[in-house]
Amino acid sequence: MYEQPVHPKNLWLNDDPLQHADVDEIYRANIGRLIARGSFTPPARAFPGARYLPPAESPGEADWDQVRGLWEPDE
């Protein structure tokens, strides 16, 4: 189980920590590796999960529609 790493080691040893969106991709890649190995089985119902949504430059009705869409069931 531990022969192949899940999470890249020493990510911040020589670099500054990354921003939310970049770290999100690292964690999603970790989950993808676990699924590929058979160590983790994704839920039967697909759900994008929590994601970092950067703030809009000029908030408006379209932004609220995006936020409301997070709670609407998939069709």
Side-chain angles (χ1 to χ4, degrees), residues 32-75:
R33 281 189 282 280
L34 291 171
I35 292 170
R37 293 179 196 177
S39 299
F40 177 75
T41 303
R45 182 171 181 257
F47 180 72
R51 292 199 180 264
Y52 173 70
L53 299 174
E57 291 180 23
S58 58
E61 190 61 32
D63 298 318
W64 284 112
D65 289 339
Q66 178 187 10
V67 172
R68 284 185 201 108
L70 296 173
W71 285 275
E72 293 176 0
D74 296 335
E75 295 180 18

